[in-house]
Amino acid sequence: MDHSFKWQGRNDGEGEAHLRIHQVVNTSQHATYAFIGFSSDEGVKRNKGRVGAADAPDLIRAQLANLPVHQPVTIADLGTVVCDSGKLETAQAELADQVERCLKQGMKPIVLGGGHEVAFGSFSGLFQYIQNHEPNKKIGIINFDAHFDLREAEQVTSGTPFLNAATLSAQHQQEFHYLCIGVAKHSNTKILFETADRLNSTYIYDNELQQKNVENIILKIQKFIGKVDYLYITVDLDVFSASIAPGVSAPAVKGVDLSVFDPLLEAIKETGKIKVFDVAECNPRFDLDSRTAKLAAYIIFNYIFD
C-alpha cells in the first residue's frame, strides 16, 4: 500500500462550520467511510485502451481535500493499492482484502480508480465478506457505464470485470444480479448484449436517461434493488458526456447528464443498502482543468453527504 498522499488544503478558521474534508480525514479511530486508492491501468492496457488512469487516486483526493464538511463525518484514508509490473490479478486480490477488512470493521469503502478493472477487486471484497460473515445475503451490482464490461477474454481486463464477477458467483452457487445504467448501443457489440441477456442482467440505455423519465427509471432501479440485500455501486466516468468527463479512457459521444444521474444516485442511497462504492476510469493524462477528477470528487461528496 502506498501512503504517500498528504491531506492538505484551505483552513478558513476555527470551528466545525469551517471544516473541509482534508481536516477530518484520519482523525477518528472508528471511521464511517474509508478511501482506498487503486492505481492501475493495466486492465485498460490489456483492453487496448488509452492508459493514464493509474495516476487518478491522488488527483481525486486532491479535489476532495477542499470540499466542505456539511455534517459530522469520519473518514479514514487507507492508502493506495498499486499494480506493479503488470500484476493486475495480485492488485485486485489485495484490493479485495482491503475492502473485506473495511467491511469487517464496519466502514464503508470508497475506492478511487483507476481503470474499470477496479470493479472486480471491489466486488470480490464484498463477495469475500459475505461468504465469510453473512453467507445468506445477496449482492446486487449497479454499474453506471456506457459499456457492459462483460467481455470474454483470456485474461482479466478493464472490459471483463462483471463477467469475472458472474463467474465467481457461479463458482459459489450464488445468483448474479447486475444492473447497467447508461448502456450505449453504439459502444457494445451484439455478443455483449447476448451475454447480458444470458446472465439475466438488467440494463437501461443512455438515450432513456432523460429528466422526463427519471421517475420511471427510479422504479426500475428500486425493483432491481428489492431482490438483493447489499449493493456494490460503481461509476465509470465514461458514462458522462466528454464535455464534463474528458479525462477518461474512452470518452462518450452522448453521455448522461448530471441532472439525471444525481437523483438516481440519491434514490439508490436512500435504500441504505450500499456497502461498497467506487469511481473508475478517471484518466488525468487526458483531463482538462481537472474536470474529470472534480466530477469524481463531486460524486463522492454527494454519496457521503445528505
Side-chain angles (χ1 to χ4, degrees):
M1 295 292 285
D2 176 13
H3 296 278
S4 59
F5 184 80
K6 299 283 185 288
W7 285 92
Q8 56 194 10
R10 282 182 60 128
N11 188 342
D12 295 333
E14 297 299 316
E16 287 187 4
H18 293 288
L19 285 176
R20 295 173 187 270
I21 285 179
H22 73 90
Q23 293 167 294
V24 300
V25 172
N26 295 334
T27 57
S28 170
Q29 290 269 292
H30 303 287
T32 303
Y33 298 97
F35 293 145
I36 307 170
F38 187 69
S39 175
S40 169
D41 50 28
E42 174 63 22
V44 177
K45 185 178 171 185
R46 292 180 186 183
N47 204 27
K48 300 179 176 59
R50 54 184 197 172
V51 297
D55 299 329
D58 284 355
L59 288 161
I60 297 173
R61 285 182 174 101
Q63 293 301 330
L64 282 163
N66 272 325
L67 296 184
V69 174
H70 285 285
Q71 64 215 55
V73 69
T74 49
I75 303 168
D77 183 1
L78 303 183
T80 296
V81 174
V82 180
C83 177
D84 286 320
S85 310
K87 295 177 182 171
L88 175 55
E89 292 80 358
T90 304
Q92 286 175 323
E94 186 183 344
L95 175 60
D97 289 343
Q98 288 287 339
V99 166
E100 183 185 9
R101 197 171 299 130
C102 278
L103 294 168
K104 271 191 341 201
Q105 293 172 4
M107 292 190 281
K108 292 182 175 181
I110 299 173
V111 186
L112 316 173
H116 214 175
E117 61 266 28
V118 66
F120 186 54
S122 296
F123 172 81
S124 297
L126 178 54
F127 192 86
Q128 285 170 201
Y129 169 78
I130 286 176
Q131 288 290 303
N132 294 331
H133 302 282
E134 300 186 55
N136 297 320
K137 300 292 186 186
K138 293 179 184 171
I139 304 174
I141 301 169
I142 299 181
N143 176 29
F144 286 92
D145 200 338
H147 308 92
F148 280 120
D149 289 347
L150 289 167
R151 192 167 292 180
E152 292 190 38
E154 287 181 14
Q155 55 182 176
V156 171
T157 77
S158 61
T160 66
F162 304 110
L163 190 60
N164 301 145
T167 303
L168 180 63
S169 302
Q171 285 166 351
H172 291 81
Q173 291 79 50
Q174 299 296 315
E175 290 178 60
F176 179 64
H177 298 277
Y178 179 49
L179 166 59
C180 190
I181 302 174
V183 171
K185 201 164 187 180
H186 67 277
S187 298
N188 295 273
T189 57
K190 188 166 179 281
I191 189 72
L192 288 168
F193 281 95
E194 288 171 2
T195 303
D197 292 338
R198 175 170 57 80
L199 293 168
N200 294 319
S201 308
T202 308
Y203 46 94
I204 299 167
Y205 288 106
D206 56 354
N207 57 16
E208 295 177 71
L209 295 171
Q210 299 175 36
Q211 277 189 299
K212 63 180 182 181
N213 296 336
V214 164
E215 284 184 25
N216 285 335
I217 294 165
I218 287 174
L219 288 174
K220 200 168 183 177
I221 291 170
Q222 287 170 336
K223 186 179 176 187
F224 171 83
I225 293 174
K227 299 174 189 170
V228 300
D229 302 296
Y230 292 145
L231 291 170
Y232 158 47
I233 308 298
T234 180
V235 181
D236 184 328
L237 294 165
D238 73 20
V239 78
F240 298 100
S241 128
S243 59
I244 61 166
V248 293
S249 300
V253 173
K254 184 172 174 51
V256 176
D257 200 85
L258 279 175
S259 62
V260 175
F261 172 84
D262 287 346
L264 301 186
L265 180 59
E266 188 59 36
I268 296 166
K269 218 171 86 170
E270 282 172 4
T271 67
K273 291 184 178 182
I274 301 177
K275 276 285 194 186
V276 180
F277 188 91
D278 71 30
V279 176
E281 295 287 356
C282 179
N283 189 331
R285 200 171 294 179
F286 298 96
D287 211 357
L288 301 170
D289 302 326
S290 301
R291 270 185 232 167
T292 316
K294 282 186 166 88
L295 173 61
Y298 166 84
I299 291 165
I300 292 164
F301 175 88
N302 284 342
Y303 169 56
I304 293 174
F305 296 103
D306 293 331

